[in-house]
Amino acid sequence: MEANSDKELRITLIGAGTIGLSFAAFHLSHLPAPSQLTIYDTRPNAEEYIRDNLTKFFPNNDAPISISDVRVANDLQEAVVHAHIIQESGPENLPFKKELWAEVEKHANKNALLWSSTSGIPASRQAQNMQDKSRLLVVHPYNPPHLMPLLELVPSPETSEDVIQRTQTFWRARNRVPIHIHKETTGFVANRLAFALLREAVHLVDSGVVSVSELDSIVETSMGPRWAVAGPFKSYHAGGGTAGLKGFFKNIGDTVQACWSDAGTPNVGDGWEDKVFAEAREVYGTVDIAERDRITHRLLSVLEEEKGKKDHDNGRST
Amino acid sequence: MEANSDKELRITLIGAGTIGLSFAAFHLSHLPAPSQLTIYDTRPNAEEYIRDNLTKFFPNNDAPISISDVRVANDLQEAVVHAHIIQESGPENLPFKKELWAEVEKHANKNALLWSSTSGIPASRQAQNMQDKSRLLVVHPYNPPHLMPLLELVPSPETSEDVIQRTQTFWRARNRVPIHIHKETTGFVANRLAFALLREAVHLVDSGVVSVSELDSIVETSMGPRWAVAGPFKSYHAGGGTAGLKGFFKNIGDTVQACWSDAGTPNVGDGWEDKVFAEAREVYGTVDIAERDRITHRLLSVLEEEKGKKDHDNGRST
């Protein structure tokens, strides 16, 4: 009962919120597809809710696997008993998750992969009531997971190497980028990085240097597209010429340090919120997410194509 | 003698380093093109150096304006006397820039736009020896300027509104994104934001949470493409659903604050350098910048096309 068997792959999703449904859309549209996709959710009229909302991901009725083939379960034991992969995207609530995994463990096959989509509750805490804590792994997506390539794999100190490796194999086979985070860290990595920039952004808007929309324009026309192609270390390593990152810091390390020394450190609740929230509301109203996702998908297709070329040039299979 | 005259537009670039030549490539390839492009540089064999290096920007010999039409000047007075725009990309050295602007001011037409590409020396300091300090404006590009759309316009408190507006008009006519930074701030805005993220990145690598290349992969597959489409405020405003940014902070403000409270604050010279520099060298060697720029150009073309569509849909001319 291997998760990567070519023949049978039964995936069970727990929780049909935004993240759970987006993962469902991912599994329905990426080969190799599961032979069965089950969604477990406790909300009233779950079946109708799930089919209606999944349909929205496929506006042209173009789900590669028919949405009517998705099995909606309302009994946890029945939902997980035959699954190779059990992926939880439930409420961000420690008691809920602790209880869930203890219950899942009773019914699931002992080789099933157990993944939590949590953005903040470490596997070591979620697993507290489990008999075998080596089975649980945080697989944190970047929203929305049906589009964004990143998955942060954040094991607890007890998660087994085998679980991490089988999880990497699963995502890589579907052209995703699973990154193994080596230590359980508050907020993991992607959010820590993004929130560090957000903090300085809040400071700059709050102190009148730029407006909310000016700041967004700056990011959209500079580091956004740059970092989509080459992350910060690679970019600055390139910026240092033949001397690399060392050359970069030799050239402008003083400016870097001056910015770090002058950085703002606003906190949540410090009073900047009213101005910043109101400005965002005024300039953006309600964001057209479908439009954003369509453009993001175009960019990601270019990047995937380029990555395919490069892998091909390097003689690797793509 | 207006910079935006349809008939005559004479641009003089001072300094033929990486940034100066990239700006030259920009001016040579974007309409409306200058009627004359002059480059002033004091290095020996400047003429040969400039023509050889400019050619590299047009690998298929496809410079829309012939490189042989570029005028190379080695006398400052002669270089600037007839120019509508004088754009300085010289050494990042305050005494050099102060002296340069005092000298340029003596010879330049009084309506000429005076721009500095500096990434760190404020216009107020560069203008110290000028008679008319209202003329100077920092126009800071994101590297490389022939590709990246952003220009940070950073006036001193004395820079005139007219200079800012004419500068915005020039860049907007060429599909660039000039953003007016309202206060002279250490490192301006783009670098402050990028360096804030870099600082957390250094902390995470230095403390063994991820490697240099894992960190870059994370950014390339998550916030890079996301922020290329919608900057951080717009993204999080969308993430908050109908409640916008306020809803976002209501939902995960605790996680944001936990990351902020736990953020690393390494400084330049703290000792993390050896490990981080060596790792970048090992995984990246010498970065293929031409490849990076080619892919970046593809992404930016998609974004420009989408922006054109949107402007068209909104009934604005594109």
Side-chain angles (χ1 to χ4, degrees):
Chain A
M1 209 183 221
E2 278 295 302
N4 301 305
S5 152
D6 283 340
K7 290 174 185 161
E8 290 284 344
L9 175 61
R10 291 184 288 275
I11 299 178
T12 291
L13 304 178
I14 297 174
T18 314
I19 299 293
L21 286 176
S22 173
F23 267 127
F26 176 85
H27 294 307
L28 289 174
S29 56
H30 284 74
L31 297 175
S35 54
Q36 183 168 72
L37 183 68
T38 300
I39 306 180
Y40 169 78
D41 195 282
T42 55
R43 78 185 70 207
N45 304 316
E47 175 122 18
E48 193 184 344
Y49 175 84
I50 289 167
R51 293 198 199 289
D52 285 357
N53 282 284
L54 260 184
T55 307
K56 292 179 190 162
F57 287 89
F58 305 98
N60 306 316
N61 201 16
D62 54 353
I65 299 178
S66 171
I67 289 170
S68 60
D69 287 344
V70 173
R71 187 170 75 113
V72 177
N74 42 32
D75 176 87
L76 183 63
Q77 177 175 349
E78 181 207 330
V80 303
V81 68
H82 295 300
H84 302 93
I85 292 172
I86 298 161
Q87 187 171 18
E88 172 275 325
S89 307
E92 287 288 75
N93 172 309
L94 178 59
F96 164 83
K97 290 189 199 282
K98 274 166 64 174
E99 195 181 326
L100 176 77
W101 291 122
E103 188 65 20
V104 165
E105 189 184 33
K106 285 186 204 160
H107 307 299
N109 184 285
K110 70 178 178 3
N111 289 319
L113 291 167
L114 309 184
W115 297 341
S116 170
S117 304
T118 183
S119 61
I121 306 176
S124 54
R125 301 189 69 197
Q126 296 191 37
Q128 278 164 0
N129 294 350
M130 291 178 76
Q131 301 295 318
D132 179 1
K133 298 173 171 53
S134 74
R135 306 179 60 183
L136 189 63
L137 180 63
V138 165
V139 178
H140 176 232
Y142 200 80
N143 198 28
H146 70 284
L147 270 187
M148 304 304 289
L150 175 65
L151 287 309
E152 293 182 278
L153 312 192
V154 196
S156 76
E158 297 180 89
T159 307
S160 79
E161 206 40 59
D162 176 63
V163 164
I164 299 170
Q165 284 182 13
R166 286 163 59 208
T167 302
Q168 287 178 320
T169 301
F170 175 92
W171 292 106
R172 285 187 185 139
R174 287 152 184 84
N175 264 326
R176 299 282 115 168
V177 181
I179 302 288
H180 177 182
I181 310 298
H182 302 285
K183 292 180 185 174
E184 286 191 322
T185 307
T186 307
F188 313 140
V189 170
N191 279 342
R192 287 180 74 101
L193 294 171
F195 294 162
L197 185 142
L198 178 66
R199 193 181 206 180
E200 182 62 19
V202 164
H203 166 67
L204 290 167
V205 170
D206 190 42
S207 53
V209 176
V210 278
S211 70
V212 160
S213 65
E214 285 164 347
L215 188 133
D216 280 342
S217 290
I218 287 171
V219 175
E220 291 161 15
T221 54
S222 59
M223 66 210 81
R226 163 56 35 82
W227 288 346
V229 178
F233 286 119
K234 190 174 185 179
S235 292
Y236 293 130
H237 183 69
T242 51
L245 204 51
K246 188 173 183 173
F248 170 81
F249 271 91
K250 190 177 170 198
N251 293 341
I252 69 152
D254 288 353
T255 304
V256 174
Q257 184 59 51
C259 290
W260 288 355
S261 300
D262 192 50
T265 53
N267 289 303
V268 173
D270 268 4
W272 50 267
E273 283 91 344
D274 286 352
K275 172 189 162 120
V276 175
F277 294 172
E279 221 182 294
R281 162 77 52 208
E282 192 190 326
V283 292
Y284 297 128
T286 302
V287 176
D288 183 346
I289 291 181
E291 173 80 353
R292 180 199 68 176
D293 286 353
R294 189 184 59 71
I295 301 172
T296 306
H297 181 70
R298 284 192 69 186
L299 296 191
L300 292 169
S301 299
V302 169
L303 291 165
E304 196 167 319
E305 185 194 314
E306 291 288 346
K307 191 163 170 277
K309 270 192 222 170
K310 208 167 163 186
D311 290 348
H312 184 78
D313 291 349
N314 292 343
R316 285 187 274 159
S317 70
T318 57
Chain B
M1 209 184 223
E2 279 294 303
N4 301 305
S5 154
D6 283 339
K7 289 175 187 162
E8 291 284 344
L9 174 62
R10 291 185 289 275
I11 300 179
T12 291
L13 303 179
I14 297 175
T18 314
I19 300 292
L21 286 176
S22 173
F23 268 126
F26 176 85
H27 294 308
L28 289 174
S29 56
H30 284 74
L31 297 175
S35 54
Q36 183 168 75
L37 183 67
T38 300
I39 306 181
Y40 169 78
D41 194 282
T42 54
R43 76 185 71 207
N45 304 316
E47 176 122 18
E48 192 184 345
Y49 176 84
I50 289 166
R51 294 199 199 286
D52 285 355
N53 282 284
L54 260 184
T55 307
K56 293 179 190 163
F57 287 89
F58 305 98
N60 306 316
N61 201 16
D62 54 353
I65 299 177
S66 171
I67 290 169
S68 60
D69 287 344
V70 173
R71 187 171 73 113
V72 176
N74 43 31
D75 178 87
L76 183 64
Q77 177 173 348
E78 181 208 329
V80 304
V81 67
H82 295 299
H84 302 93
I85 293 172
I86 298 161
Q87 186 170 18
E88 172 273 325
S89 308
E92 287 288 74
N93 172 311
L94 178 59
F96 164 83
K97 289 188 200 284
K98 275 167 63 174
E99 194 181 325
L100 177 76
W101 290 122
E103 188 66 19
V104 165
E105 189 184 33
K106 285 187 202 156
H107 309 297
N109 183 286
K110 69 177 177 5
N111 288 321
L113 290 168
L114 308 184
W115 297 341
S116 169
S117 305
T118 182
S119 61
I121 307 176
S124 54
R125 302 189 68 197
Q126 296 190 37
Q128 277 164 359
N129 294 350
M130 292 178 76
Q131 300 295 318
D132 179 1
K133 298 173 172 52
S134 75
R135 304 178 62 183
L136 188 63
L137 179 63
V138 165
V139 177
H140 175 232
Y142 199 80
N143 199 26
H146 70 285
L147 270 187
M148 303 305 289
L150 175 65
L151 287 310
E152 292 183 278
L153 312 191
V154 196
S156 77
E158 297 181 87
T159 306
S160 80
E161 205 40 58
D162 176 63
V163 164
I164 298 170
Q165 284 181 15
R166 286 164 59 211
T167 302
Q168 286 178 320
T169 301
F170 175 90
W171 290 106
R172 286 186 184 139
R174 287 152 184 85
N175 263 327
R176 298 283 117 169
V177 182
I179 302 288
H180 176 182
I181 310 298
H182 302 285
K183 293 181 184 173
E184 285 190 323
T185 307
T186 306
F188 314 140
V189 171
N191 278 343
R192 287 180 73 101
L193 294 171
F195 293 163
L197 185 142
L198 177 65
R199 192 181 208 182
E200 182 62 20
V202 164
H203 166 68
L204 290 167
V205 170
D206 190 41
S207 53
V209 175
V210 279
S211 71
V212 160
S213 65
E214 286 164 346
L215 188 133
D216 281 341
S217 290
I218 287 171
V219 175
E220 291 161 15
T221 53
S222 60
M223 65 209 83
R226 163 56 34 81
W227 288 345
V229 178
F233 287 120
K234 190 173 185 181
S235 292
Y236 292 131
H237 183 70
T242 50
L245 204 51
K246 188 174 184 173
F248 170 80
F249 270 92
K250 190 177 167 198
N251 293 340
I252 68 151
D254 288 351
T255 304
V256 174
Q257 184 59 51
C259 290
W260 288 356
S261 300
D262 192 50
T265 52
N267 289 302
V268 173
D270 268 3
W272 49 268
E273 283 92 344
D274 286 351
K275 172 191 163 119
V276 175
F277 294 170
E279 220 182 296
R281 162 78 51 208
E282 192 190 327
V283 293
Y284 297 128
T286 301
V287 176
D288 182 346
I289 292 183
E291 173 79 354
R292 180 199 68 176
D293 286 353
R294 188 183 60 71
I295 302 172
T296 306
H297 182 69
R298 284 192 70 186
L299 295 192
L300 292 168
S301 299
V302 169
L303 292 165
E304 196 167 317
E305 185 194 313
E306 291 288 346
K307 191 162 170 279
K309 270 192 220 168
K310 206 167 164 185
D311 290 349
H312 183 81
D313 291 348
N314 293 343
R316 285 187 275 158
S317 70
T318 57

